[in-house]
Amino acid sequence: SSARVSGSDRGATFGERVGPSCSRYGGASDPRGSGGGGAPARAVELRRGPAEHRGGGEEGEEAQGSAVKGSSDADPDDPVCATWARKEILGAKGSALATKTIFSHCFVTRWSLGFHAAYAMLMLFLAITVQVAVPMIIIATRQPISSTGSCPNKSSTETKIIGFTLSLYFVVQTISLCINKLRGLGFLHMFVELGFARSLFIKLAIFSQFCGMAAAGGAQFMLFIGNANGAFVVLVLQSLAMTFCLTVDQNIVGHQIGSWTQARLSALSEPSLLNDGIGIGREGGSIPTSSFDKIRLLVLGEKVVLATIITTGAGWIIAVTYCM
């Protein structure tokens, strides 16, 4: 009979295991309870807490909100925060696997004298040239607006409507790029460790994406202003060309190379290997502090970038439509 544990002792044991932070998010003041009758119920509630929070609820949303906002209450040992973090990490991994770029291929390919290395370097050169260099040359030469000026505002209403629509499409594409490609690259940068030399490809990819977005936006502005009085099909082709510049690093990756890259990334991003072998913990349990801090930084960075793109994009659309 001495081996049997009372209801209050079971509550105390579980409360010590999950940590005091659960009491903040679960709504009770003490996970141990105050009596023999209430403690078992509280223990059952704590056991069910993470699964219920994953499905929603005010307490779960409050805990997840604290984790995202960087609150001092956010605790990687709390099951709610840990579940949120693992969900975000696996979502970012999905983005990395779905957006197969030449940069991620270079990140995992075999670097030795042969076809793979030559192919990777050639495609990398083409991607950077088309994605960044071409739009920047258009901006530097100012050729499209050399004869019209930077804001003539002389096009017809129909042209302005088409320009507005195509500009909105460009901004939506840029937002999609941020949500998918940049999120995946951020995941590879923070959680997949393959050495300093290989990490330079991911850093180059992130830098290239930001430069490409800015350069393509500036180039499209000049092209639309310079050709506002031309045929409508010219505006459409110019918009598609600038959109292609944003995704050229994905479009030049062939199916076989892309499938191999995806399989390689999937093998290297197993949960137990993430964050240089630290991992992301087990479902329902805590998550290592380092992994928790990294995904919280990634999510906050994504929100800042999205807010910047949306704000800048709205002003850019208005400027293009007015100046055409």
Side-chain angles (χ1 to χ4, degrees), residues 171 221 309-321:
V171 172
F221 178 88
I309 291 176
I310 292 173
T311 304
T312 306
W316 180 81
I317 292 174
I318 294 173
V320 171
T321 306

Side-chain angles (χ1 to χ4, degrees), residues 117-141:
Y119 171 86
M121 292 306 298
L122 177 61
M123 295 300 105
L124 186 65
F125 170 77
L126 290 177
I128 295 176
T129 301
V130 176
Q131 190 172 57
V132 181
V134 170
M136 291 189 70
I137 291 173
I138 295 175
I139 295 175
T141 59

Side-chain angles (χ1 to χ4, degrees), residues 9-282:
D9 289 337
R10 285 199 301 271
T13 302
F14 188 80
E16 292 170 356
R17 187 167 66 248
V18 300
S21 60
C22 288
S23 63
R24 292 197 302 272
Y25 303 126
S29 59
D30 189 351
R32 293 177 176 82
S34 56
R42 178 60 184 151
V44 172
E45 180 185 351
L46 283 171
R47 290 187 182 97
R48 289 162 40 194
E52 292 177 349
H53 288 319
R54 285 194 295 271
E58 294 181 359
E59 294 89 353
E61 292 177 358
E62 178 183 352
Q64 293 174 10
S66 298
V68 174
K69 295 175 183 178
S71 170
S72 59
D73 290 339
D75 186 357
D77 294 327
D78 181 79
V80 176
C81 294
T83 298
W84 168 85
R86 270 188 291 270
K87 179 181 177 182
E88 293 293 332
I89 291 172
L90 294 178
K93 174 185 174 180
S95 297
L97 297 180
T99 54
K100 302 175 288 292
T101 71
I102 191 60
F103 296 100
S104 58
H105 175 70
C106 292
F107 181 59
V108 298
T109 193
R110 298 184 292 270
W111 284 105
S112 59
L113 294 178
F115 170 77
H116 291 284
Y119 171 86
M121 292 306 298
L122 177 61
M123 295 300 105
L124 186 65
F125 170 77
L126 290 177
I128 295 176
T129 301
V130 176
Q131 190 172 57
V132 181
V134 170
M136 291 189 70
I137 291 173
I138 295 175
I139 295 175
T141 59
R142 296 175 58 89
Q143 184 180 4
I145 59 174
S146 59
S147 59
T148 61
S150 58
C151 190
N153 189 20
K154 295 180 180 180
S155 62
S156 63
T157 302
E158 293 82 0
T159 302
K160 289 182 179 292
I161 292 175
I162 292 177
F164 173 85
T165 304
L166 293 175
S167 298
L168 180 61
Y169 172 74
F170 180 83
V171 172
V172 171
Q173 283 288 98
T174 306
I175 293 174
S176 177
L177 173 72
C178 173
I179 294 175
N180 294 310
K181 190 192 297 186
L182 285 176
R183 184 175 176 83
L185 290 173
F187 167 81
L188 295 178
H189 174 64
M190 289 187 170
F191 288 97
V192 181
E193 178 59 45
L194 296 180
F196 175 75
R198 291 179 180 270
S199 70
L200 292 178
F201 289 110
I202 302 301
K203 293 181 175 67
L204 177 61
I206 296 173
F207 179 75
S208 177
Q209 299 307 313
F210 283 114
C211 290
M213 287 188 292
Q220 181 160 326
F221 178 88
M222 291 187 178
L223 290 170
F224 273 27
I225 301 304
N227 297 280
N229 294 321
F232 292 158
V233 68
V234 175
L235 297 177
V236 175
L237 292 175
Q238 289 171 347
S239 178
L240 293 176
M242 291 300 102
T243 303
F244 174 79
C245 288
L246 296 178
T247 58
V248 63
D249 54 334
Q250 296 172 257
N251 296 330
I252 62 177
V253 176
H255 175 71
Q256 290 183 338
I257 298 294
S259 298
W260 182 88
T261 301
Q262 186 179 45
R264 182 66 174 155
L265 285 174
S266 180
L268 292 171
S269 57
E270 288 293 325
S272 60
L273 302 177
L274 295 178
N275 197 12
D276 202 15
I278 295 177
I280 58 175
R282 294 183 177 181

